Amino acid sequence: MVGQVSNLPYLIAMTEATKRKGATRISEIPPQILKQLNTGEIESANLTEWLAVDQRALLKSVLPALNLTEALVLSLAQLDALKKPSTMQSIPAIAAVLRTHLKTEKQRKALATHSSDSVRCWAAYVVGLDDKLTLKDKLAAIRPFAADEHFGVREIAWMATRSDIDAQLTQAIAVLTQWTKEASENLRRFASEATRPRGVWCKHIEALKQNPELAYPILEPLKSDGSKYVRDSVANWLNDASKSQPDWVREVCELWATDSPTAETKAIIKRALRTLEK
């Protein structure tokens, strides 16, 4: 069992990351910060730092300490095989190797609770690539990553499960509808973001582009959510749908405007209709 002491580096890294705003350009990242990012000592503070992490250097720092030398060699080979190893390509490539080389629960726990958000991204994708898990079990396993305090881990969490959600949409909607009741805004947001018809950096869900009403059980409970993070996701969801089913989106917005005349709902509606009202 991992105790409070072993979690301390993670907690310290989270604190340090929140103290920093982060550079706006990779070239402006201080050398010491970049070194700490590449050795997994701290979390990235923003998207610029997240994209700047040298995945090869991070692998060399993290995996030997976990007795994953073979996985290190194979992961580096996987990255070499990529023509242009971007962060979004590298993470699933690394996770594909780790999925077959993680032998102990201690190793899995170490990755899932690592001080580096990039390492936790690997761990999230390991869950997403596990074809032995049922959808229900996979969504249960992804919850800690969906609730993670770091934005990058949360984004990877839904991306890692997106294909399974698409393939088993009815069951996924049933499970994620329950997530809309969670106290964690991150879990509520996951339910919306993971099912967006068009999404970002991901394959579209054709069934929801054509029949967005299928996911209404997820959207309706969030129509006046207290979190802007959640509201923006719901609005973006509807904006996605408006590009293929504009009449349905207008009907939903009209219904919500009447049934839920709150400032929160009004904000969602305004953002949701931004494409239609250009």
Side-chain angles (χ1 to χ4, degrees), residues 26 33-34 54 68 71-72 74 80 82 106 129 136 145 163 183 190 193 204 218 239-240 244 252-253 275 277:
I26 291 177
I33 292 296
L34 191 58
D54 183 336
L68 290 168
L72 170 61
L74 294 175
D80 287 340
L82 297 174
K106 182 178 180 180
L129 294 175
K136 183 178 179 180
F145 304 103
S163 61
F190 180 98
E193 197 69 18
H204 295 177
I218 290 174
N239 184 62
D240 281 357
S244 51
V252 168
C253 289
T275 296
E277 295 185 346

Side-chain angles (χ1 to χ4, degrees), residues 3-223:
Q4 291 182 342
V5 173
S6 60
N7 278 335
L8 187 57
Y10 170 43
L11 297 174
I12 292 174
M14 284 175 55
T15 301
E16 291 300 315
T18 57
K19 289 180 180 178
R20 297 185 297 106
K21 292 184 178 180
T24 56
R25 295 190 180 95
I26 291 177
S27 61
E28 296 174 353
I29 299 174
Q32 182 59 29
I33 292 296
L34 191 58
K35 179 182 178 181
Q36 290 178 295
L37 289 170
N38 290 337
T39 55
E41 296 175 50
I42 62 172
E43 293 186 331
S44 59
N46 59 15
L47 181 59
T48 299
E49 289 189 358
W50 189 76
L51 294 172
V53 172
D54 183 336
Q55 298 289 322
R56 296 176 65 88
L58 188 59
L59 283 165
K60 292 176 183 178
S61 177
V62 173
L63 296 194
L66 297 176
N67 295 318
L68 290 168
T69 304
E70 184 179 358
L72 170 61
V73 174
L74 294 175
S75 294
L76 293 175
Q78 285 281 65
L79 297 187
D80 287 340
L82 297 174
K83 292 182 179 180
K84 293 183 179 180
S86 67
T87 302
M88 289 306 303
Q89 290 178 318
S90 297
I91 290 172
I94 293 167
V97 174
L98 291 174
R99 185 176 70 86
T100 59
H101 285 77
L102 293 175
K103 304 302 182 183
T104 68
E105 183 59 30
K106 182 178 180 180
Q107 289 173 328
R108 291 178 180 274
K109 188 72 173 179
L111 293 180
T113 61
H114 200 276
S115 54
S116 168
D117 54 287
S118 291
V119 175
R120 300 202 302 281
C121 285
W122 301 344
Y125 239 108
V126 167
V127 173
L129 294 175
D130 192 341
D131 54 11
K132 294 180 181 180
L133 293 175
T134 66
L135 176 65
K136 183 178 179 180
D137 288 342
K138 184 170 290 191
L139 289 175
I142 209 70
R143 279 177 64 99
F145 304 103
D148 198 279
E149 291 298 318
H150 193 276
F151 68 90
V153 181
R154 296 196 299 270
E155 294 305 296
I156 289 298
W158 70 257
M159 291 180 190
T161 52
R162 172 91 166 177
S163 61
D164 295 272
I165 290 170
D166 186 9
Q168 302 175 67
L169 190 57
T170 300
Q171 184 181 0
I173 290 171
V175 173
L176 294 177
T177 295
Q178 298 304 309
W179 286 33
T180 65
K181 304 173 185 177
E182 294 287 345
S184 168
E185 66 176 343
N186 293 337
L187 292 179
R188 300 198 305 275
R189 192 257 188 178
F190 180 98
S192 171
E193 197 69 18
T195 57
R196 279 180 58 181
R198 295 174 185 268
V200 180
W201 294 350
C202 63
K203 183 180 178 181
H204 295 177
I205 299 179
E206 294 298 327
L208 293 179
K209 286 169 65 176
Q210 301 308 316
N211 300 288
E213 67 275 6
L214 294 173
Y216 189 71
I218 290 174
L219 303 175
E220 199 278 336
L222 304 176
K223 67 179 181 294

Side-chain angles (χ1 to χ4, degrees), residues 238-257:
L238 291 171
N239 184 62
D240 281 357
S242 74
K243 297 171 183 177
S244 51
Q245 298 296 330
D247 291 342
W248 181 81
V249 172
R250 288 192 182 95
E251 289 176 6
V252 168
C253 289
E254 290 174 3
L255 174 64
W256 288 4

